[in-house]
Amino acid sequence: MGKYIGIRLAHALVILAIVVVLVFIIARIIPGDAIMAAMAGSVDLHDPSVVERVRHQYGLDQSIPVQFAVWLGEFLRGDWGTSIGTGQKVLDMFVQRLPVTLELFVGATLWSIAVGIPAGILGALKRNSAADIAVTTGAIIGVSLPPFWEAIVLIYLFAVLLPIFPPSGYVPFFEHPLLNLRAVVLPTFVLGTHAGGLLARYVRSSLLEVLGQDYVRTARAKGFSEAAVIARHALKPGMIPVVTVIGLSWGGLLAGAFFIEVVFAIPGLGRMSVDAIFQKDYPVMQAMLIVVSLNVLLVNLLVDILYGYIDPRVRVRG
Amino acid sequence: MTDLVHPATAVAVSPASRNPALALLRAVARHRLASVGLVIIATLIIIAVFAPVLAPYSPFQQDLYHVLAPPSRLHLLGTDNLGRDLLSRLLYGARVSLLVGIVSSLVSAVIGVVIGLIAGFRGGMVDAIIMRITDAFLCFPPLIFILAMSAALGPGLQNVILAFALFGWTYFARLARGQVLLVRELPFIEAARSVGVPATRIMFRHILPNIVAPVLVAITIGIGGAILVESGVSFLGLGVQPPTASWGKELRVGFTYLEAAPLFSIAPGVMISLAIIAFNFVGDGLRDALDPRLRGANRVSR
């Protein structure tokens, strides 16, 4: 197990290094002009000496490797630069908005588990029945629905026609727990739909595969009741893909949050990122890309390790 | 598309049938959801091609005396905020979504498969380097990258497609590489190598046809994904520019008038969802038809 974790960790570090270089390259390809554009109002850019001074101030006159080292050093020390849009420190902006988006993520994951796992089990146990067809069809539809449209339909149904939930807005949990929960019901449901559909599919097919295994047949042959066979022998190994699906969908959640936070006017990381993209706020975009990929990388690493723990065969192969 | 299917699926689909492409089509048509999906896709393609004939009005014709009109006999879905016929705009919108979806998915597939073929076939250092880079790209959800690229390159359809080409290939690369690793060790590849067939020819003439089936499934599902991303990008205000009709853009403008004219945002979303669901249905059916393991399982249960 130790060696397996070591290999996974080494892989993740290599990928992280490539990610950091990629983000640096992307950021360097675009924003040289952005700094100039941002300075255009305050200084005279027709004067070559002024341009030279600005370039020097931002370190643009140094060689690319030196720029990279300086940038990486600052980033690691927590100096993520200043937002062009808000003038705030980028790191502060992230810290401020992170809890909001995390709450959405957790809520979405809970929704997807609460709906997806029972649906998948039902589909597998009642194979080829009307219920199974409903589950498989519903799962594909859940995976397919555009989040922004689903959000709009739910707002129309449950905030306009039947005013149960607020159509938009956000109240921090510690300010008013009840209002907070009411505000996040719809957004988290929409955000969790995709993962819920995926979960239902994976749980169903994995359970079907397990039910066809020899040891399940043996258990049946020994005279265990069907309920005992399923609960004691099939369910646990059938749940292995849950870990993978939740891990895989974690990265997609942030993309979903872009839309959800815009539609529901929630002040989280997604909305901040969309604003940054539109304002060409490169310091924020750059930090966002690194946070996003770090998030995916860490979750993948965690899934790999969990997987090796649950299913020892993976350790040998992997 | 039919030629593509040929060699790989000859055995997998139906050994008794002479024409494998036809057999595949038959297998998909037997699949309940896939046949529903095929009908929807065919309808959407007809709508996109014949939009000028089918649409009751020009999609640009404004009628400022009848803005946000409810559905009526004159305007079946009502009108938008500029008094344009919503139905006509939705029919024309099919063009943008299908075009971006199909082109983006195909371009990503071509780039990804070539990269995956090289990585899987060469192995060793080449493979390790390519796959770590692919893994790094896979850390970014494509939508976020495509949004950022569209913003940097400026709005417009071709930029959305270009962004797709840059960031959509990773999934195909990983898929193709995995398939190549399975095929590479088979005896007929060894035979080809031993008689001196050049590497490039082995890759494209001997290996490629044998990994086409899963790639085809991925392309189909990828079209749905690309339609989702395109409409999302348009929804956020990038992508196609007005006055061109696009489902994502209609949805965004309609959202502003949700209470006054609910159909204005709900109807475009129905179109987007139908298109994505249809491609996913067909992709699912193709996967079932092409995966012998699954068919075996079906037979046992019956």
Side-chain angles (χ1 to χ4, degrees), chain A residues 12-287:
Chain A
L13 281 176
V14 172
I15 297 170
L16 181 63
I18 301 176
V19 164
V20 170
V21 173
L22 260 178
V23 171
F24 178 77
I25 293 173
I26 294 168
R28 274 311 108 128
I29 292 173
I30 325 169
D33 301 325
I35 292 172
M36 293 300 167
M39 301 296 291
S42 51
V43 298
D44 177 18
L45 287 182
H46 297 297
D47 182 350
S49 70
V50 172
V51 172
E52 208 41 56
R53 209 189 61 225
V54 172
R55 285 174 60 82
H56 181 72
Q57 189 186 337
Y58 283 89
L60 292 176
D61 55 349
Q62 265 151 349
S63 72
I64 296 288
V66 172
Q67 286 188 36
F68 178 72
V70 169
W71 169 73
L72 189 62
E74 285 175 348
F75 195 88
L76 289 177
R77 267 179 279 131
D79 180 4
W80 293 10
T82 310
S83 160
I84 298 174
T86 63
Q88 265 179 297
K89 287 260 170 242
V90 175
L91 184 61
D92 293 347
M93 290 172 70
F94 272 84
V95 170
Q96 208 176 357
R97 288 164 177 80
L98 185 67
V100 180
T101 302
L102 268 185
E103 186 189 358
L104 293 185
F105 279 19
V106 172
T109 307
L110 290 180
W111 269 117
S112 65
I113 291 175
V115 178
I117 293 183
I121 294 176
L122 179 73
L125 296 186
K126 307 264 177 203
R127 180 150 197 199
N128 289 334
S129 68
D132 183 26
I133 293 171
V135 167
T136 41
T137 313
I140 302 185
I141 293 177
V143 170
S144 307
L145 284 185
F148 40 93
W149 180 67
E150 193 191 348
I152 289 173
V153 171
L154 289 185
I155 289 176
Y156 186 67
L157 291 179
F158 298 111
V160 176
L161 287 186
L162 295 168
I164 307 173
F165 300 111
S168 67
Y170 180 83
V171 183
F173 183 80
F174 293 107
E175 222 165 81
H176 199 308
L178 208 67
L179 282 185
N180 167 277
L181 291 179
R182 239 168 64 117
V184 296
V185 169
L186 293 184
T188 50
F189 182 81
V190 177
L191 195 56
T193 306
H194 184 89
L198 278 185
L199 257 185
R201 285 175 75 155
Y202 276 83
V203 166
R204 177 181 173 275
S205 59
S206 135
L207 200 55
L208 279 178
E209 201 172 298
V210 172
L211 285 173
Q213 297 278 325
D214 289 343
Y215 68 87
V216 172
R217 195 180 51 192
T218 308
R220 281 197 181 121
K222 279 177 163 175
F224 283 116
S225 72
E226 190 62 24
V229 170
I230 289 161
R232 305 251 303 268
H233 292 82
L235 221 45
K236 207 176 137 199
M239 288 303 124
I240 291 182
V242 173
V243 181
T244 322
V245 173
I246 291 176
L248 285 179
S249 58
W250 196 251
L253 282 182
L254 196 72
F258 275 46
F259 296 111
I260 305 295
E261 291 179 7
V262 166
V263 173
F264 286 100
I266 295 173
L269 288 180
R271 225 176 98 116
M272 180 190 80
S273 307
V274 172
D275 289 345
I277 287 173
F278 273 91
Q279 296 163 353
K280 306 211 172 172
D281 195 339
Y282 292 103
V284 176
M285 279 170 70
Q286 202 169 323

Side-chain angles (χ1 to χ4, degrees), chain A residues 3-9 11 304 307-308 311-318, chain B residues 132:
Chain A
K3 191 184 162 210
Y4 170 77
I5 294 180
I7 293 174
R8 291 287 116 197
L9 210 62
H11 260 206
D304 277 345
Y307 226 89
D311 186 350
R313 288 171 301 178
V314 174
R315 289 197 294 250
V316 185
R317 262 187 272 131
Chain B
R132 286 300 86 70

Side-chain angles (χ1 to χ4, degrees), chain A residues 11 15 18 26 127 133 140 144 146 148-149 152 156 160 201 251 258-259 263 277-278 280 289 292-293 296-297, chain B residues 32 132 135-136 139-141 145 147 151 228 231-232 236 251 255 262 266 269-270 273 276-277 280 284 287 298:
Chain A
H11 260 206
I15 297 170
I18 301 176
I26 294 168
R127 180 150 197 199
I133 293 171
I140 302 185
S144 307
F148 40 93
W149 180 67
I152 289 173
Y156 186 67
V160 176
R201 285 175 75 155
F258 275 46
F259 296 111
V263 173
I277 287 173
F278 273 91
K280 306 211 172 172
L289 285 177
V292 167
S293 46
V296 176
L297 205 59
Chain B
R32 222 176 301 117
R132 286 300 86 70
D135 285 343
C139 284
F140 307 104
F145 243 130
L147 262 179
L228 175 66
S231 59
L236 291 176
L251 186 55
F255 179 43
I266 290 174
V270 171
S273 309
I276 301 170
I277 291 170
N280 281 344
D284 217 45
R287 183 175 10 217
N298 263 326

Side-chain angles (χ1 to χ4, degrees), chain B residues 98-292:
Chain B
L98 287 186
L99 182 77
V100 175
I102 293 170
V103 174
S104 305
S105 187
L106 284 180
V107 171
S108 309
V110 170
I111 299 174
V113 167
V114 170
I115 291 176
L117 267 177
I118 294 172
F121 188 70
R122 294 278 173 211
M125 270 315 272
V126 178
D127 181 37
I129 293 171
I130 291 181
M131 288 328 286
R132 286 300 86 70
I133 294 175
T134 309
D135 285 343
F137 268 93
L138 277 167
C139 284
F140 307 104
L143 179 106
I144 292 176
F145 243 130
I146 290 167
L147 262 179
M149 284 296 293
S150 309
L153 296 171
L157 267 195
Q158 64 281 22
N159 287 344
V160 174
I161 295 177
L162 185 66
F164 250 108
L166 278 173
F167 297 106
W169 56 269
T170 48
Y171 178 72
F172 288 97
R174 199 182 241 193
L175 174 75
R177 172 185 175 267
Q179 294 293 318
V180 172
L181 292 184
L182 293 178
V183 176
R184 195 177 62 172
E185 304 304 329
L186 295 180
F188 76 94
I189 299 297
E190 210 183 319
R193 229 187 283 217
S194 65
V195 297
V197 179
T200 334
R201 196 177 156 82
I202 293 182
M203 269 197 265
F204 288 96
R205 294 302 293 253
H206 298 261
I207 294 182
L208 183 61
N210 284 287
I211 65 166
V212 153
V215 172
L216 206 65
V217 174
I219 290 177
T220 313
I221 293 174
I223 295 176
I227 291 177
L228 175 66
V229 171
E230 183 275 324
S231 59
V233 170
S234 296
F235 177 79
L236 291 176
L238 300 160
V240 289
Q241 288 309 291
T244 311
S246 126
W247 294 338
K249 203 137 247 161
E250 295 296 306
L251 186 55
R252 177 51 181 267
V253 181
F255 179 43
T256 325
Y257 305 98
L258 184 61
E259 278 181 65
L263 262 187
F264 186 8
S265 54
I266 290 174
V270 171
M271 300 299 285
I272 301 171
S273 309
L274 271 181
I276 301 170
I277 291 170
F279 280 103
N280 281 344
F281 275 177
V282 174
D284 217 45
L286 272 176
R287 183 175 10 217
D288 287 357
L290 293 170
D291 189 346

